[in-house]
Amino acid sequence: MLAVASVFFPALCGGVTLDVLSGEIACGELVGRTEASLTLRGSANAADLAWIADNCRELRILDLSGLTIEPCSLEKGLANGLREFPGGVLPAYSLSGLMAQTLVLPEGISEICDGALLGSAVTGLTLPASVRLIGQGAFAACEALRHVSLGASVEIIGPCAFRGCVSLASVEADGSRLVEIGEKAFSGCRKLSALTFTSPDPALTAIGDEAFGATDLQTLDLSACTALRSIGRRAFAACASLEELVLPSGVVSIGDGVLFGCQSLRTFALPEALNDLPAMALAGASALEDISLHDGVRSLGEYSLTGIDGITGLSLPSSLREIGTGVFEGWSSLQTLMVDKHSEVPILGADVWAGVNQSEAILTVAPGLEAEFAAAPQWKEFMIRTPDESTLDRVPAIDDQAAAVIDAKLENSVLTVKSSEKISAVTVYDTDGRAVFGIGANGSTALETATGLPVGRIYIVALRLHSGVETGIKLVNIKL
């Protein structure tokens, strides 16, 4: 056997530096089991690295930057049962359970193989610029890992690569070659609040199922990822802090429940290339204030928008032909629904409007279709209007007798209404007959609410009373 000169000297952190050849460390006589800091130079293989992870339980710093990883074939497999290990990579499961908190990886490696650092104690990591692939579960369950920086060469982040890294707060990636983020890649990283691409033109084409499920992302703008085409099932589900997700226009496929349970989401626009909203897509996004459905959307999948109770008005695109079961279940604030561009009544699943107070919500349909909507199950329960009807004709002006019953004012965009009868709902129209604000009154006799309407303009305030009577009054939004 070739004689090897092993040179030991104190490292900067008080540890040792060791020159080695592949296979030496695994013999168990070269490296001390109680070292706190270790720097390796030369060559090593999967068995050597596994020996360090299994035996150096007091190790806190491991520097492998000067190490070349050689291939090896073992008669007896490692704990994971693998026997064949290629060179030039960080071998599969070779450093799983490593106790070192600081790790410097070998320069020149092309891949972090499956489970290579599974359950290790590393706290931060910058990948060598040469790494192209991060394998399945490569960093899974690294519970102390707080930050990861991915180099410009990374092309694929494999399934479950960082799954369960509960302390991981930020990921920075160049992104210029990154085409795929695998399923469950960051699932369960409950402190992950920032994903940053430094390249102005990220190459990302696909995000896998549950890739970012149950993370702490707050805003994510993927608009620069112009090559992105598909986003998997529940990719961002249960991201309770996510307020905004911006997708590029070219996305053609998103999976079921993609934003399920994102209870802080406030706005979302469907990509222009997306024609079908899948089942449960935004179910439970209860804080949503606005959703944009572009002309081209053909169907809304079952329960895709259920549980959104803050939107008061919605316009459905003329391309929409089918609305699945329970889509608008729980839309308790809905006051106006526009389907006035439709040439036929859309097909409905079961219980589409469950929880919507349809008798107090206005459905605006195209002229000539009033009878069809009025005869259609689940549609006929709305107050049906057409856009060319005069609001002044539809809502009678308040007369002297009614003036004694109802009092209203609009000052600084704050609407105040008082009535001697119980009020079911209040809708505000502009002078062109468009509903611009609506609110349910739940049988109260007085309400005060901010409308956000521009001052100095004339509006018609229409009241629907519990008795079924509709009445209204013309007001000017005064600035005091």
Side-chain angles (χ1 to χ4, degrees):
M1 180 177 177
L2 180 66
V4 179
S6 299
V7 182
F8 294 84
F9 57 90
L12 292 176
C13 51
V16 296
T17 295
L18 176 63
D19 288 336
V20 296
L21 286 182
S22 179
E24 279 192 315
I25 296 174
C27 295
E29 298 179 357
L30 200 59
V31 176
R33 296 172 184 263
T34 60
E35 298 293 350
S37 176
L38 181 62
T39 299
L40 297 180
R41 301 186 309 201
S43 62
N45 61 31
D48 297 322
L49 298 181
W51 189 94
I52 292 172
D54 291 342
N55 294 280
C56 298
R57 308 308 291 171
E58 297 183 23
L59 192 62
R60 296 296 176 264
I61 300 174
L62 178 61
D63 185 349
L64 305 177
S65 59
L67 202 63
T68 299
I69 304 299
E70 300 289 344
C72 68
S73 180
L74 305 177
E75 292 183 6
K76 182 180 180 182
L78 299 180
N80 52 57
L82 297 178
R83 296 189 179 186
E84 300 294 330
F85 298 88
V89 300
L90 189 65
Y93 301 96
S94 58
L95 289 174
S96 61
L98 180 72
M99 296 302 295
Q101 298 170 349
T102 300
L103 173 66
V104 184
L105 293 172
E107 295 293 335
I109 59 173
S110 62
E111 181 179 346
I112 312 295
C113 295
D114 295 354
L117 282 153
L118 173 69
S120 70
V122 291
T123 58
L125 200 61
T126 298
L127 299 190
S130 55
V131 172
R132 294 185 296 105
L133 173 64
I134 301 173
Q136 181 170 336
F139 299 95
C142 292
E143 296 186 353
L145 185 62
R146 296 192 295 269
H147 174 76
V148 173
S149 180
L150 308 179
S153 298
V154 174
E155 299 172 3
I156 296 176
I157 299 175
C160 303
F162 295 90
R163 186 182 186 186
C165 293
V166 295
S167 299
L168 184 62
S170 62
V171 175
E172 182 179 86
D174 175 275
S176 58
R177 296 184 183 178
L178 178 62
V179 296
E180 181 180 347
I181 298 176
E183 64 178 274
K184 300 181 181 178
F186 296 94
S187 176
C189 296
R190 57 177 181 248
K191 292 187 178 180
L192 180 60
S193 60
L195 171 66
T196 305
F197 293 112
T198 58
S199 170
D201 188 22
L204 190 63
T205 63
I207 297 174
D209 295 351
E210 301 181 47
F212 294 93
T215 60
D216 195 39
L217 290 171
Q218 297 169 18
T219 61
L220 185 60
D221 187 347
L222 297 176
S223 58
C225 301
T226 55
L228 185 61
R229 293 295 178 266
S230 67
I231 301 174
R233 297 175 57 255
R234 301 176 66 88
F236 298 95
C239 291
S241 299
L242 185 63
E243 295 186 3
E244 182 180 24
L245 174 65
V246 181
L247 299 179
S249 61
V251 173
V252 297
S253 173
I254 61 177
D256 293 356
V258 64
L259 287 160
F260 175 81
C262 292
Q263 62 192 33
S264 299
L265 191 69
R266 297 196 176 278
T267 182
F268 183 70
L270 265 65
E272 293 179 7
L274 186 70
N275 294 322
D276 301 288
L277 187 66
M280 306 293 289
L282 288 124
S286 55
L288 202 64
E289 299 171 348
D290 178 55
I291 181 168
S292 177
L293 303 175
H294 62 82
D295 196 15
V297 174
R298 298 174 303 204
S299 67
L300 302 178
E302 294 185 351
Y303 302 102
S304 55
L305 296 169
T306 191
I308 299 171
D309 59 4
I311 294 179
T312 59
L314 182 67
S315 179
L316 299 181
S318 60
S319 55
L320 185 64
R321 292 292 176 262
E322 185 174 350
I323 302 174
T325 295
V327 168
F328 294 103
E329 179 180 318
W331 280 50
S332 57
S333 297
L334 186 65
Q335 293 292 319
T336 59
L337 182 64
M338 305 288 290
V339 289
D340 56 312
K341 301 297 189 294
H342 284 69
S343 59
E344 58 185 24
V345 179
I347 299 170
L348 300 183
D351 301 320
V352 168
W353 313 104
V356 176
N357 195 351
Q358 290 178 265
S359 64
E360 297 179 1
I362 295 174
L363 176 68
T364 302
V365 305
L369 286 183
E370 303 100 308
E372 291 187 41
F373 276 94
Q378 298 189 72
W379 291 106
K380 62 185 179 182
E381 288 80 8
F382 285 102
M383 291 191 292
I384 298 174
R385 306 284 189 266
T386 59
D388 59 350
E389 287 182 288
S390 168
T391 300
L392 294 175
D393 291 340
R394 170 66 67 177
V395 181
I398 198 164
D399 56 25
D400 292 339
Q401 182 179 359
V405 177
I406 297 172
D407 181 35
K409 61 182 179 179
L410 188 57
E411 297 175 346
N412 295 327
S413 302
V414 175
L415 175 64
T416 303
V417 177
K418 296 180 181 179
S419 171
S420 58
E421 292 187 38
K422 292 181 179 180
I423 306 169
S424 294
V426 177
T427 305
V428 181
Y429 298 86
D430 63 16
T431 53
D432 292 324
R434 295 173 298 191
V436 292
F437 178 79
I439 189 171
N442 298 319
S444 65
T445 57
L447 65 84
E448 182 176 281
T449 181
T451 65
L453 298 173
V455 298
R457 299 183 183 179
I458 298 173
Y459 297 96
I460 296 92
V461 179
L463 282 73
R464 185 176 179 85
L465 305 178
H466 255 34
S467 62
V469 172
E470 288 186 67
T471 187
I473 185 169
K474 185 187 298 185
L475 297 175
V476 177
N477 190 5
I478 301 171
K479 183 176 181 180
L480 298 181

